[in-house]
Every structure is written in C-alpha cells, then in structure tokens.
C-alpha cells in the first residue's frame, strides 16, 4: 500500500555505482536523515556521496506522518526529572534548531509547509499533562493546558505552539538533484575508510551510517540498544480534520493531523514481530468515530526505539573516530533527521555543538528496556523455526496483516518470497528452490 506522499510525488532516479569513487564523506542511507546530512555538509563545501540500497526515501521517509515538532510526547517533564534542566534544554534547543532550519530551507520550496500546534492528549490522568505544561513553561515555552480538544472522544491536552507539518517528498524533491547519489547500491561491508559495494568501492575520509537501524554489529551494540515498532495510518476523506497535530500520551494511542484535505489517522502499533491492532483497529474506530469517512490511502511505517527514548547521534562507538551514526529517532523522524544533520555536520567540520552530550551514542545502556531487548532476543534465538533472520539468527514471525516475515528481535522484515523489506539485515531470506 502506498502512502499519500508517494502516490502524488515522483522522485528523480539515480544510477547505481559502477567502479570506485572517492569523497570526503560517505553517507550510507538515502532517507531524510542521510539526504539532509549530505545537503548541510555540501553547503559547507564538503564533498559527499550518498549510497542507497534501493531508491531514495523508499523506507521510513515515504511512510512518515510528516510532523516537524520539538514536542515528542510528555518528554520534558521526564527529562527534567531524570536528566536535569541542562540536558532538557539541550534536547529542546536541538529540536527547535531543526524546526527553524526546515523553516529557512522551505522559504522558496513548495512543500506544503504549514505552521501548526502540537497537542499531546490523554483520556486518563490530567496530572501528567499539567506536569508537562509546567515543564515546558519552565523551559520558556508558551505551553497551554486544554480541558477539551476537538477529537471524537473525551480528552484533555497540553499544547506546544508554533510547530509545523509538511509534504516530505516534495521537500526532498526541491534539493535532491544537487547531491551525488547512487541508488540500488547496497553497502556490503566497511573496511577502514572504504565501503565495499557489489560493483565498486567508495573511499571516504568519514562515513555516516543513516540506515534507519545500524547494520554494523561489530561496534556500538545497537542490536541491544534498539528495537523496532510497526505503526499504521489511514488517510480519510469526508472528515472535518482538526486543526493541529494530535498524539496520545501512551504507546497504543492514536494520532491525528490533516494533510491535503484528508485526515491522517494513525495507530494500531506494536513491536515488530508481535501481534497488534494494525489497520483493522483503525478501520473499526474510523467507522465508529467518522461514519461518513472514505478511506483513500492506507500505509504502515517502522520506527527504531532507543533504550531511553532519545536518538543516538554522533560517533558510532568510542573506537570508531571517523564513523558516525544517526538512529533511534523513535516516532519523530523528521525533526530528528534535521537535528542529526546539524549535529553531524558540526562534528565532521570540527565545530563545537552544545547539544552533542544528550545524543551521545555511547551513553549508559543500563535502562529497563535493555533487559526487555535481551529477553526478546534470547527467547527468539531459542524458538524452533524453519525461517531464521540472516541478521543474528532469530526466529521469524508471520505478519498476517502485511504478508511479511518479521523479526521480533531487531525488526528485519521480508516479503512472503524472502525479499528484504526492512533492515538491519542486508541479506534476503534464504528460501528453498
């Protein structure tokens, strides 16, 4: 199923790599994060090559709900409580800088950029919303608490004003032809400063891994620090969509936002490889809440979830001085992609960036989610199954809703015939002839 964005936008095609090339920076992954890294580095006079295994923006970027916001759930009350005001301000400053960079870039670009407030709602306790409102106000944001909001059920919310939404593929279309890109060029291995591809090599002074889920297991322990989660979206016509962007305060809540005269209604999420509500749950509630609505598009997305809910942006590990990573964006890929591009540009260009500590990929792994990730991996490694993930050997589960084989350990996905859909593995599923 195609998203609203990919149905009405055709991105240019780029050649596959044939032979060897040299560049200052190689960026592995042609989604929003990788392309923005290339754009911002190019603006600083740094030569870049983007190597994309398939087509650019063919993964998470084309399936986003395309909200650009510094408000990622009830995050600031938690950051103040767990990490203190200095790091809460780092996170806020980084995401506000990302939003401002989107604003400045889109000035002459037609990408349906629209200012909108972000609302985090709750149908339960108002205490958590009030705490988040106070946290935002303490950090200098003109946040407001609302007793009621224009959704088809009773809920209150905290509002973070002056955020934005846009059309991600039209945005990419405005600059992507300025970049040196090789499509259908999967990177099979990295040896020092050289990426090995099927029909050539790319030599670089620095390398950025922006492949959604990092594919190099030797460094960084990302197979322990991340898991992946599916989410689902319906685009509905015949509905008066609310003004603003709305998302619930719990993992299984719903999101709402308008785009091109449609309501984007999201939810039904679950850990990859586990059962969940998917489109069936969305369609059931759409029929209840919007009985006159018509379904125009339906699509799904996959998000990388970090141990502490914050992205990993910076050096891939402490032992890899010229190898960088951008991952773990949770459900906030558009804003985090730009924050990652700004931070990595600064690090590669030797400029101090004050928010780097909050995103440091080598920060402590001692979080409750780590033990959940280890348990899931151990359980699925020991599960008898004829279909095993090439990444680390976990037993695959059949996803009935999407007709795919999914890995509950790290989120690799394969078509019914074994073709790779989502990483971290770089190999197709072996099938018997």
């Amino acid at each position: 199923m195609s998203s609203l964005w990919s149905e009405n936008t055709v991105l240019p095609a780029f050649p596959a790599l044939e032979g060897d090339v040299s560049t200052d920076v190689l960026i592995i992954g042609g989604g929003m994060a990788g392309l923005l890294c290339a754009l911002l580095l190019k603006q600083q006079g740094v030569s870049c090559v983007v190597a994309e295994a398939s087509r650019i923006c063919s993964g998470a970027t084309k399936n986003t709900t395309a909200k650009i916001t510094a408000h990622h759930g009830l995050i600031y009350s938690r950051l103040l409580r767990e990490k203190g005001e200095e790091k809460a301000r780092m996170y806020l400053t980084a995401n506000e800088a990302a939003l401002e960079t989107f604003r400045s870039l889109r000035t002459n670009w037609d990408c349906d950029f629209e200012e909108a407030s972000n609302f985090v709602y709750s149908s339960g306790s108002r205490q958590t919303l009030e705490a988040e409102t106070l946290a935002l106000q303490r950090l200098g944001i003109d946040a407001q608490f609302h007793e009621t909001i224009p959704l088809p059920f009773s809920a209150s919310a905290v509002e973070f004003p002056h955020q934005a939404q846009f059309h991600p593929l039209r945005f990419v279309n405005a600059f992507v032809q300025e970049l040196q890109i090789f499509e259908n060029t999967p990177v099979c291995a990295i040896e020092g400063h050289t990426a090995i591809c099927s029909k050539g090599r790319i030599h670089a002074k620095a390398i950025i891994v922006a492949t959604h889920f990092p594919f190099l297991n030797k460094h960084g322990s990302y197979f322990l620090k991340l898991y992946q989660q599916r989410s689902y979206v319906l685009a509905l016509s015949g509905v008066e969509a609310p003004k603003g962007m709305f998302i619930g305060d719990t993992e299984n809540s719903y999101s709402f936002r308008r785009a091109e005269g449609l309501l984007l209604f999201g939810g039904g999420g679950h850990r990859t490889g586990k059962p969940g509500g998917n489109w069936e749950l969305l369609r059931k509630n759409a029929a209840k809440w919007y009985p006159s609505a018509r379904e125009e598009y339906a699509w799904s997305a996959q998000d990388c979830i970090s141990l502490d809910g914050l992205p990993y942006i910076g050096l891939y590990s402490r032992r890899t001085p010229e190898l960088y990573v951008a991952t773990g964006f949770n459900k906030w890929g558009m804003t985090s992609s730009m924050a990652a591009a700004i931070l990595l540009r600064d690090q590669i260009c030797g400029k101090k960036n004050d928010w780097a500590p909050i995103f440091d990929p080598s920060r402590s792994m001692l979080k409750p989610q780590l033990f959940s990730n280890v348990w899931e991996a151990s359980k699925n490694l020991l599960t008898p199954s004829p279909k095993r993930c090439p990444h680390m050997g976990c037993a695959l589960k059949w996803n009935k809703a999407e007709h795919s084989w999914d890995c509950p350990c790290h989120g690799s996905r394969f078509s019914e015939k074994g073709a790779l859909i989502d990483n971290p593995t770089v190999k197709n599923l072996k099938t018997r002839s």
Side-chain angles (χ1 to χ4, degrees), residues 214-256:
F215 68 100
L216 301 172
N217 289 332
K218 185 178 179 180
H219 304 290
S221 301
Y222 292 97
F223 58 90
L224 295 176
K225 296 196 294 192
L226 293 167
Y227 73 95
Q228 300 205 67
Q229 190 173 66
R230 305 295 298 158
S231 59
Y232 301 84
V233 184
L234 300 179
L236 304 174
S237 62
V239 175
E240 185 176 352
K243 185 178 181 181
M245 305 175 294
F246 297 80
I247 191 164
D249 65 334
T250 62
E251 187 174 283
N252 295 318
S253 56
Y254 302 98
S255 69
F256 305 79

Side-chain angles (χ1 to χ4, degrees), residues 17 21-28 38 47-51 180-182 202:
L17 175 69
V21 298
S22 296
T23 185
D24 290 333
V25 179
L26 164 63
I27 298 159
I28 306 173
S47 67
C48 297
V49 166
V50 177
Q180 185 177 11
I181 297 170
F182 294 105
I202 305 173

Side-chain angles (χ1 to χ4, degrees), residues 30-194:
M32 184 65 78
L35 296 175
L36 288 175
C37 284
L39 175 65
L40 297 195
L41 284 165
K42 183 176 183 293
Q43 291 175 343
Q44 297 299 307
V46 178
S47 67
C48 297
V49 166
V50 177
E52 165 55 43
S54 180
R55 292 290 317 282
I56 59 169
C57 300
S58 60
T61 301
K62 74 176 177 59
N63 293 324
T64 177
T65 51
K67 296 177 281 190
I68 311 173
T69 174
H71 197 201
H72 304 160
L74 302 179
I75 192 167
Y76 292 103
S77 53
R78 179 173 69 84
L79 286 176
L80 286 171
R81 183 175 65 252
E82 295 178 0
K83 297 182 180 292
E85 185 168 334
E86 181 183 10
K87 289 195 172 179
R89 287 191 182 279
M90 284 182 193
Y91 191 79
L92 176 62
T93 302
N95 285 285
E96 288 194 314
L99 175 55
E100 285 306 312
T101 306
F102 271 115
R103 280 197 181 101
S104 64
L105 287 173
R106 64 93 192 183
T107 302
N108 297 314
W109 298 351
D110 179 16
C111 61
D112 297 342
F113 187 94
E114 178 185 2
E115 298 279 337
S117 288
N118 187 70
F119 295 84
V120 179
Y121 70 83
S122 176
S123 298
S125 171
R126 61 178 285 167
Q127 184 177 356
T128 55
L129 296 178
E130 290 173 337
E132 182 71 7
T133 305
L134 291 173
L136 288 169
Q137 291 172 349
R138 176 177 167 183
L139 295 170
I141 301 301
D142 184 22
Q144 296 184 52
F145 175 79
H146 296 270
E147 291 279 3
T148 60
I149 51 175
L151 294 181
F153 47 80
S154 178
S156 50
V158 54
E159 177 188 3
F160 191 128
H162 310 304
Q163 306 302 283
Q165 54 193 30
F166 75 141
H167 191 306
L169 299 192
R170 287 179 184 160
F171 178 82
V172 166
N173 231 355
F175 70 85
V176 72
Q177 295 195 61
E178 303 173 15
L179 307 178
Q180 185 177 11
I181 297 170
F182 294 105
E183 292 184 321
N184 300 305
T185 303
V187 173
C188 306
I190 295 176
E191 297 178 357
H193 289 92
T194 299

Side-chain angles (χ1 to χ4, degrees), residues 219-220 315-321 360-364:
H219 304 290
L315 288 176
Y316 203 96
S317 76
R318 290 194 175 107
R319 299 191 302 273
T320 55
D360 182 6
S362 296
R363 63 187 183 267
S364 173

Side-chain angles (χ1 to χ4, degrees), residues 251-308:
E251 187 174 283
N252 295 318
S253 56
Y254 302 98
S255 69
F256 305 79
R257 83 110 153 155
R258 62 182 183 181
E260 302 195 8
L262 303 174
L263 171 66
L264 304 191
F265 175 40
H270 57 87
R271 182 170 175 144
T272 304
K274 298 284 188 177
N278 58 69
W279 296 295
E280 182 179 352
L281 180 62
L282 290 178
R283 287 170 179 142
K284 177 181 176 181
N285 283 308
K288 178 174 66 174
W289 294 332
Y290 306 109
S292 62
R294 296 181 302 279
E295 181 180 314
E296 303 294 342
Y297 302 94
W299 69 92
S300 59
Q302 182 143 299
D303 300 301
C304 282
I305 311 299
S306 64
L307 294 176
D308 57 5

